[in-house]
Amino acid sequence: MVNKIDFSEVYRLYYKRLFHISYSITRDLHLAEDVVQESFIKAMKKVDTIEDENKLGAWLSVIATRTAIDYVRSERKKKAVLMEQEMLECLGKEMKQNVEEEVEFEILTEQVNHAIGKLTLEYQNVLKLKIGLGLKEHEIASVLNLKPSTVKIRIYRARKKLKLLFLKQICA
């Protein structure tokens, strides 16, 4: 039996070696230190299973390697669960915001279209071409056979009337 091993001396001799092994697997300084500590604890518990003291370094290296792999696997599982949870929460928030925004946009669009329908035909035409089709003033002028300045004035007046209609709607 080899129970007479001085673990403080073993620790001093093999710490760097086990740390390098652990770090090469974990790629994390703190995790590598944890692995080394855990490896020495496992070794102390199983010291009576060593048959040849000359193979102590190799035995400790195997323990450190397996412990590091276990740590990496458990860390991946932890991160994967957290990542999935975060993603689900994030997606839930995004979906909720998008749905709310879409509903609000649809309601506003309905209100604008309803208000435009209350305007005179000349104002309706310029606004539908401007807002609905995204045409510029000079394009609207050529479609309606008007001067660009007339189109600008109609758009200005139409917007002004829309604003008044919305104010009346809000106050009512």
Side-chain angles (χ1 to χ4, degrees):
M1 271 208 170
V2 195
N3 284 342
K4 297 179 183 179
I5 294 176
D6 179 13
F7 259 87
S8 58
E9 183 64 22
V10 171
Y11 186 86
R12 190 185 62 72
L13 286 172
Y14 293 105
Y15 175 83
K16 283 186 180 178
R17 178 179 180 178
L18 298 187
F19 180 81
H20 288 295
I21 291 169
S22 302
Y23 182 75
S24 69
I25 295 170
T26 62
R27 297 287 181 210
D28 181 294
L29 292 172
H30 302 292
L31 201 55
E33 288 174 8
D34 290 347
V35 168
V36 172
Q37 298 303 318
E38 183 70 24
S39 299
F40 278 112
I41 291 169
K42 287 179 179 179
M44 283 184 3
K45 288 179 180 176
K46 297 288 185 175
V47 72
D48 56 328
T49 62
I50 287 190
E51 295 172 8
D52 186 0
E53 251 185 80
N54 296 328
K55 296 181 182 177
L56 183 64
W59 182 67
L60 287 170
S61 297
V62 169
I63 293 173
T65 301
R66 290 181 180 164
T67 305
I69 291 170
D70 290 344
Y71 266 68
V72 169
R73 284 181 182 153
S74 70
E75 287 297 309
R76 279 190 194 149
K77 285 180 185 175
K78 288 178 191 173
K79 286 181 182 175
V81 169
L82 287 175
M83 189 76 143
E84 288 172 5
Q85 186 65 32
E86 286 176 14
M87 283 175 53
L88 286 173
E89 288 174 5
C90 184
L91 285 174
K93 288 177 186 172
E94 282 182 24
M95 291 300 289
K96 183 180 176 186
Q97 289 171 349
N98 288 341
V99 170
E100 287 175 2
E101 288 172 6
E102 285 180 36
V103 169
E104 287 176 8
F105 181 75
E106 287 298 319
I107 292 171
L108 184 62
T109 303
E110 278 182 34
Q111 290 173 342
V112 168
N113 287 333
H114 183 71
I116 288 174
K118 291 182 177 180
L119 298 174
T120 63
L121 198 55
E122 62 183 21
Y123 292 152
Q124 285 182 29
N125 290 338
V126 291
L127 283 180
K128 285 180 181 177
L129 291 172
K130 178 76 174 164
I131 296 170
L133 299 178
L135 298 179
K136 296 179 179 157
E137 283 87 4
H138 70 279
E139 295 170 325
I140 296 169
S142 67
V143 169
L144 297 176
N145 293 323
L146 298 170
K147 294 180 184 176
S149 59
T150 306
V151 171
K152 285 183 182 182
I153 290 170
R154 285 187 184 176
I155 290 173
Y156 172 78
R157 290 179 181 164
R159 284 182 176 163
K160 198 172 179 182
K161 288 202 179 234
L162 274 178
K163 211 182 259 187
L164 287 173
L165 286 172
F166 274 107
L167 286 173
K168 285 180 185 175
Q169 228 176 12
I170 292 170
C171 293

